[in-house]
Amino acid sequence: MTLRALFSVFLLLCWTEAAVAQSSSPVRVRVLDNQQPTSVTVKATGGDLRVHLPGTSAPVMRLRPGESATLSLRGPEVAIKRDADGIYASSLDIQPDEGVAWTLASGDVTRTYTGPLHVEADGRHLQLVNHAPLDDYVASVVAAEYGFEDLEGSKAMAVVARTYGIRASTKFDTGDYDHVDNTVSQVYRGVRAITPTSRRATQETAGEVLTHTGTLIEAVYFSSSGGHTANNEDVWDANEVLPYLRGRRDPYDSNSPHHRWKTTVSRSQLLNALSNDFGTRITGFVLGKRSKEGRLKTVTLLTPGGRMTVSANDFRLAITRRLPDADLKSTWFDASRRGDTYRFSGRGFGHGVGLSQWGIHEMSDRGKSYREMLSFYYAGVDIRSTDGVGLEVPDRPLATSPPPQEKKETREEQEESTRRIGW
């Protein structure tokens, strides 16, 4: 081997070690969040699990491969019990060796993780926080959130998932975790969900994140654009216009099964769902302002005491939370009423801000690189190494809306009533 070749190998090894070091910080994820467990079973599989009390270096219990223990609540404390042995404490830390897998089981759900687990009580439920190794977290999220097997699209999703994961969320009041394992953050189902493609995509983009003016971006994404993405301020009640989250025509969505859609919803069920979600009796609604491409920005809810205007995104989420079968896929829709049925026809799936997953899948089929995909959906961003990147987070989450305020009808609103469909 020539001296030049040896030097090239040396540089490659140095770069690889640096990338591993940069991507080694764990992501604090509250796992089994939707299950809200009061009791779970933890099992050592690939190696020992050491159980520690707060602030102690020596383990108070050790689980050998194949051994399991039960975690449960004991008043304000948490308990771990193996056979006749039981320990109670304000919190517990379960520490595996690096890279060693272990499982958590709650009811019918069993998931496999790597990295430590912090356990404490959260009212009537267990708070289970996995300090997930970043690469395992990213590979698992890509497998769950993207699901396609094209490598370039998976690489784009890996950079997005890594950026989102590193940038701690401000959605949660507690400082004990940064994300949850469901769609409130990103779907994370542990290491058993990882596929060869999602693992390779993670490895081939090791340490890469998206930045704008040197700061990690809000790397939001969705399923299908319907032909046009959205400005962040048109969907969410955001304090600032983010220059990298600009709506644009999207020519890569036409093959999406969600490009155009229709659905019907029972009028009584929909109005009950809105009433329960917004805390007042809703008797109908009026479609409000739209963005330039056609997404609804606001919906006015009719009440016995007047009207209340809410964001179209809150309107949609209230319905999908309460009526999962309603299938109101986006805020880009029109609506009509026939008898006791509302008919919706719309475009796209999801909020429409940032990256489209069906879009990058189509771009991959057309031979585009993951860098081209990211540059298309996030305007003016840089792909940089995590080394030295600023980690500023806005004081206010991006996707929040103030509580809707009920008010009397104005003349303008009375004129708008010709568009009402909910009477």
Side-chain angles (χ1 to χ4, degrees), residues 53-68:
L53 297 175
T56 62
S57 57
V60 294
M61 182 184 293
R62 186 183 295 269
L63 300 178
R64 305 293 183 184
E67 292 184 332
S68 60

Side-chain angles (χ1 to χ4, degrees), residues 229-238 241 245-247 289-293 295-298 311-313 331 351 353:
T229 64
N231 296 327
N232 71 289
E233 72 276 10
D234 288 341
V235 175
W236 298 309
D237 182 36
V241 173
L245 295 179
R246 299 295 84 206
K289 296 178 181 178
R290 294 182 182 269
S291 62
K292 289 181 179 180
E293 75 272 11
R295 278 185 176 80
L296 279 165
K297 298 169 72 172
T298 61
S311 76
N313 194 53
T331 58
H351 50 68
V353 182

Side-chain angles (χ1 to χ4, degrees), residues 12 15-16 19-20 22-23 134-136 138-139 142 149-160 162 194-209 364 368-371 373-374 383-385:
L12 178 61
W15 180 88
T16 302
V20 170
Q22 291 160 3
S23 61
L134 180 58
D135 284 352
D136 286 348
V138 170
V142 171
E149 288 301 310
D150 57 283
L151 181 59
E152 289 302 303
S154 297
K155 286 161 71 172
M157 271 303 305
V159 177
V160 169
R162 184 180 296 111
I194 294 172
T195 67
T197 301
S198 70
R199 177 65 79 188
R200 181 180 172 188
T202 301
Q203 292 170 339
E204 292 191 11
T205 61
E208 292 182 354
V209 291
S364 181
K368 304 291 186 182
S369 72
Y370 78 98
R371 289 176 174 269
M373 299 171 192
L374 296 171
I383 301 174
R384 293 179 52 187
S385 163

Side-chain angles (χ1 to χ4, degrees), residues 211-228:
T211 68
H212 185 267
T213 63
T215 301
L216 291 174
I217 72 165
E218 291 271 9
V220 289
Y221 54 92
F222 58 94
S223 178
S224 172
S225 72
H228 204 290

Side-chain angles (χ1 to χ4, degrees), residues 263-265 269-270 273 277 315-329 349:
T263 190
T264 58
V265 186
Q269 288 183 341
L270 186 143
D277 209 84
F315 174 85
R316 171 184 171 248
L317 293 178
I319 294 170
T320 56
R321 270 195 300 264
R322 303 280 179 172
L323 301 172
D325 294 335
D327 210 21
L328 194 62
K329 294 183 178 181
F349 191 2

